[in-house]
Amino acid sequence: MIVPKVDESASGIKGELTFDDKVVQKIIGIALEEIDGLLTVDGGFFSNIAEKLVNTDNVTSGIHAEVGKKQVAVDMDVVVEYGKDIKDIYKQMKELISEQVGKMTHLDVIEVNVNVVDIKTKAEFEEEQETVQDKVTHVASSTGEYISKQADKAKKGISKGVDKADEALEPRVE
């Protein structure tokens, strides 16, 4: 947690403005969505397992920020798109993180450490994004359609049986 001092002379009101680490992580996570060639900030094995189980929009996953009174240091693992200039992506990340964190919090980003843990083609990455939740939803939908069809068949069969039973109960002669 950070504590940049608020200029008391301007307003005469004392106080402090603080930012939780998660706020800075979220600023960074949202900013990084703009960078072409950066497929994901990888939150490590357990984070990946969680993301495979349930759809999540957790933009802070895999971003570790140390927020001080005046400065911020950032560490993250990333997956980069195959064929892209990784050094250029890193340069863009540093500039964008520094710009957005500075603009919103007035804290100085003094360090951005990025560890490239994997490279993937865009197709490989997109294929891996289907979660267990997506798969279960698809199976449930398919199963629901199958059960609905079977229920319709059963209704028709019962209806035919009822019609035959009604015919059998009707007197044959007048």
Side-chain angles (χ1 to χ4, degrees):
M1 179 121 46
I2 45 354
V3 190
K5 296 281 184 195
V6 173
D7 183 8
E8 298 172 15
S9 62
S11 64
I13 301 172
K14 294 182 181 183
E16 293 179 335
L17 174 64
T18 61
F19 300 96
D20 194 76
D21 292 354
K22 288 181 182 181
V23 171
V24 173
Q25 291 167 344
K26 195 165 189 176
I27 292 168
I28 293 167
I30 292 169
L32 291 178
E33 291 175 356
E34 299 176 20
I35 296 183
D36 181 48
L38 180 64
L39 295 176
T40 186
V41 176
D42 182 20
F45 178 76
F46 291 106
S47 175
N48 288 342
I49 292 294
E51 289 169 8
K52 287 286 184 203
L53 293 175
V54 180
N55 291 326
T56 178
D57 288 330
N58 183 5
V59 297
T60 65
S61 178
I63 300 171
H64 305 283
E66 184 179 330
V67 181
K69 292 182 180 188
K70 297 179 183 179
Q71 301 173 327
V72 175
V74 182
D75 299 302
M76 65 190 90
D77 292 337
V78 300
V79 177
V80 177
E81 185 177 348
Y82 177 81
K84 298 289 183 169
D85 183 337
I86 298 171
K87 203 165 193 171
D88 184 53
I89 291 170
Y90 174 60
K91 181 180 172 205
Q92 290 177 51
M93 290 173 70
K94 289 193 308 183
E95 289 171 0
L96 193 58
I97 289 168
S98 178
E99 174 190 315
Q100 293 300 314
V101 170
K103 183 170 80 172
M104 294 182 72
T105 66
H106 297 272
L107 297 171
D108 293 322
V109 177
I110 58 159
E111 196 173 300
V112 176
N113 299 305
V114 175
N115 181 36
V116 179
V117 295
D118 203 355
I119 58 170
K120 296 179 181 180
T121 65
K122 198 135 190 150
E124 282 178 317
F125 178 72
E126 288 171 359
E127 185 178 304
E128 291 175 359
Q129 294 311 297
E130 185 178 33
T131 63
V132 171
Q133 181 180 356
D134 294 331
K135 290 175 184 173
V136 168
T137 300
H138 176 70
V139 168
S141 173
S142 298
T143 303
E145 290 171 17
Y146 175 78
I147 290 172
S148 179
K149 287 178 185 175
Q150 295 305 316
D152 286 345
K153 285 182 185 177
K155 285 179 193 174
K156 288 177 185 173
I158 291 170
S159 180
K160 285 182 185 176
V162 168
D163 289 347
K164 285 186 179 182
D166 285 346
E167 288 173 11
L169 292 176
E170 290 178 7
R172 290 189 202 183
V173 289
E174 287 184 27

